[in-house]
C-alpha cells in the first residue's frame, strides 16, 4: 500500500502527486500543516529527517525527496512510462529533473515568501514568528526564510533568485522550440519536475516571464495544464493562498520586472 505525506500547495508535493495521477496510482493521503509544524514532530522526523514534505511510504518503507520518489514510482509502476526507454534519453531527462535541487526550489521558496506568504507570517506574534523561523532545521533555508519574511521584495537574495528563474525559463524556451516536451517527443519526469515551479510563478502573477517573450514555454505550459493528471495540482488549490499570491504578486510585478531586467544585464556583463 502506498501512503503520501504531503501538503496541498507545496511544489514538491505537487510533483509527486502529478506522477501518481499520470500513473493512475492511489495513495492514502496524510495532509501536513507546515505552518503548524506537522513536519517537525519526532514521529514525522523518523520518516523524513529533513522535516519536509513529501514522504512516500511503500508498505511502511519511507522514501523521501520528490525526485527520488518520482523515479521510484516509475520503477514500481512502469506503465505508462514517464522516463525515456534509452539511457541517453534518461540522462537528458535527469538533467531537467535535477534543476529544482540545484537552486530553483530555493529560489521558489524565497520568491513565494518575499512576495506573498510574508504577509501571513508578519501577522503572527513576534515571538511565535521567531520560534517558527528558528525551528527550520537547515541553516541556509532558515536564512532564506528570514530574509523573505523580513525584507520582502528588498531581500538581498531576491534578484539572484529571479535571475535563476529567468535563466531556467530561457533554457526551457530554447529546448521547447525544438521538441514537444522537455526530454523529447514524450511527456516525462522532466516536465513533471518543472511544472510546479512554473505554476508557482503563475500563481504569483509573474507569468509575463514566459507569456510575453517565450512562446514555446507558453505552448508547453498550456499542454501540461490540459493533461488529466493536472488535477494533482488543480484539485488541491487552497483558495485564500491562491488569492494572496495573486494580489501580492500583482502589486510586486513592476518591481520584479525591473529586477529581472537588471539581473539579465548583470548576467550579460559577467559573460
Ligand atoms: N528536496 C526536497 C525538498 C522538500 C521541501 O523543501 N519541501 C517543502 C515544501 S515544497 C517543505 O516541506 N517545507 C517545510 C516548511 O515549509 O516548513 C524534495 O524535493 O522533496
Amino acid at each position: 500500500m502506498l501512503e503520501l505525506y504531503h501538503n496541498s500547495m507545496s511544489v514538491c508535493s505537487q510533483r509527486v502527486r502529478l506522477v501518481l495521477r499520470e500513473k493512475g496510482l492511489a495513495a492514502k493521503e496524510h495532509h501536513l500543516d507546515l505552518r503548524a509544524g506537522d513536519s517537525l514532530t519526532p514521529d514525522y522526523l523518523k520518516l523524513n529527517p529533513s522535516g519536509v514534505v513529501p514522504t512516500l511510504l511503500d508498505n511502511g518503507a519511507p522514501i523521501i525527496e520528490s525526485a527520488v520518489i518520482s523515479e521510484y514510482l516509475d520503477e514500481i509502476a512502469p506503465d505508462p512510462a514517464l522516463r525515456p526507454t534509452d539511457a541517453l534519453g534518461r540522462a537528458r531527462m535527469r538533467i531537467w529533473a535535477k534543476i529544482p535541487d540545484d537552486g530553483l526550489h530555493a529560489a521558489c521558496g524565497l520568491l513565494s515568501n518575499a512576495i506573498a506568504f510574508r504577509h501571513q507570517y508578519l501577522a503572527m506574534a513576534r515571538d511565535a514568528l521567531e520560534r517558527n523561523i528558528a525551528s527550520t532545521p537547515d541553516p541556509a533555508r532558515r536564512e532564506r526564510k528570514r530574509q523573505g519574511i523580513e525584507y520582502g521584495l528588498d531581500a538581498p537574495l531576491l534578484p539572484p533568485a529571479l535571475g535563476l528563474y529567468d535563466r531556467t525559463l530561457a533554457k526551457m524556451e530554447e529546448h521547447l522550440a525544438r521538441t514537444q516536451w522537455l526530454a523529447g517527443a514524450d511527456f516525462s519526469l522532466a516536465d513533471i519536475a518543472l511544472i510546479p515551479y512554473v505554476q508557482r510563478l503563475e500563481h504569483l502573477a509573474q507569468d509575463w516571464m514566459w507569456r510575453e517573450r517565450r512562446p514555446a514555454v507558453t505552448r508547453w505550459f498550456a499542454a501540461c495544464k490540459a493533461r488529466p493528471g493536472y488535477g494533482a495540482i488543480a484539485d488541491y488549490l487552497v483558495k485564500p493562498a491562491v488569492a494572496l499570491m495573486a494580489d501580492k504578486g500583482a502589486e510586486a510585478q513592476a518591481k520584479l520586472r525591473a529586477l529581472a531586467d537588471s539581473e539579465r544585464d548583470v548576467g550579460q556583463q559577467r559573460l
Side-chain angles (χ1 to χ4, degrees):
M1 181 183 73
L2 295 175
E3 292 177 68
L4 182 67
Y5 289 78
H6 70 126
N7 171 272
S8 298
M9 295 290 295
S10 110
V11 281
C12 312
S13 302
Q14 290 171 339
R15 182 175 178 178
V16 169
R17 291 200 307 261
L18 282 166
V19 180
L20 288 167
R21 285 278 179 116
E22 287 285 340
K23 302 232 162 242
L25 288 170
K28 182 178 175 200
E29 297 185 21
H30 304 275
H31 187 269
L32 271 60
D33 181 344
L34 300 176
R35 295 286 160 76
D38 288 359
S39 63
L40 299 172
T41 63
D43 280 350
Y44 185 71
L45 288 170
K46 279 183 207 147
L47 301 177
N48 187 324
S50 309
V52 291
V53 287
T55 300
L56 182 79
L57 257 53
D58 189 359
N59 287 323
I63 301 128
I64 60 170
E65 289 296 326
S66 56
V68 175
I69 299 171
S70 299
E71 290 229 28
Y72 180 82
L73 288 171
D74 200 56
E75 280 186 33
I76 62 165
D79 196 24
L82 289 174
R83 291 180 299 176
T85 48
D86 61 307
L88 184 60
R90 282 197 298 281
R92 289 183 175 145
M93 180 273 289
R94 288 185 182 119
I95 292 293
W96 291 108
K98 76 195 278 288
I99 285 178
D101 286 333
D102 286 348
L104 194 70
H105 181 66
C108 176
L110 185 89
L111 284 172
S112 303
N113 280 334
I115 296 172
F117 297 129
R118 70 185 298 253
H119 298 282
Q120 293 176 330
Y121 284 110
L122 291 172
M124 292 165 75
R126 190 72 210 180
D127 57 337
L129 176 58
E130 284 301 331
R131 274 200 307 278
N132 183 296
I133 294 173
S135 69
T136 306
D138 174 53
R141 181 191 280 259
R142 197 184 313 138
E143 173 56 17
R144 281 196 302 276
K145 187 170 179 178
R146 179 181 301 284
Q147 274 202 20
I149 295 172
E150 283 192 5
Y151 302 119
L153 300 183
D154 295 320
L157 286 170
L158 187 83
L162 202 58
L164 178 60
Y165 245 117
D166 197 47
R167 288 195 301 281
T168 304
L169 289 166
K171 223 183 288 176
M172 291 170 71
E173 177 68 18
E174 194 193 328
H175 207 75
L176 290 165
R178 288 180 278 116
T179 63
Q180 180 76 6
W181 302 104
L182 286 172
D186 297 313
F187 183 79
S188 76
L189 294 183
D191 305 289
I192 287 182
L194 273 307
I195 289 170
Y197 295 92
V198 176
Q199 177 59 76
R200 176 55 59 90
L201 266 195
E202 186 184 59
H203 278 145
L204 289 166
Q206 309 309 322
D207 44 342
W208 56 271
M209 291 181 79
W210 63 91
R211 280 195 211 290
E212 292 176 9
R213 50 183 85 170
R214 292 177 174 136
V217 174
T218 304
R219 187 259 312 148
W220 169 85
F221 192 46
C224 292
K225 284 174 132 180
R227 297 181 73 85
Y230 205 75
I233 293 179
D235 296 349
Y236 290 82
L237 295 179
V238 176
K239 279 195 183 135
V242 173
L244 178 73
M245 286 192 279
D247 286 356
K248 298 298 174 189
E251 281 171 32
Q253 214 190 82
K255 178 150 187 173
L256 292 177
R257 277 177 186 269
L259 272 179
D261 285 345
S262 58
E263 269 304 291
R264 208 169 299 123
D265 292 345
V266 171
Q268 271 160 13
Q269 281 163 23
R270 279 196 205 112
L271 293 173

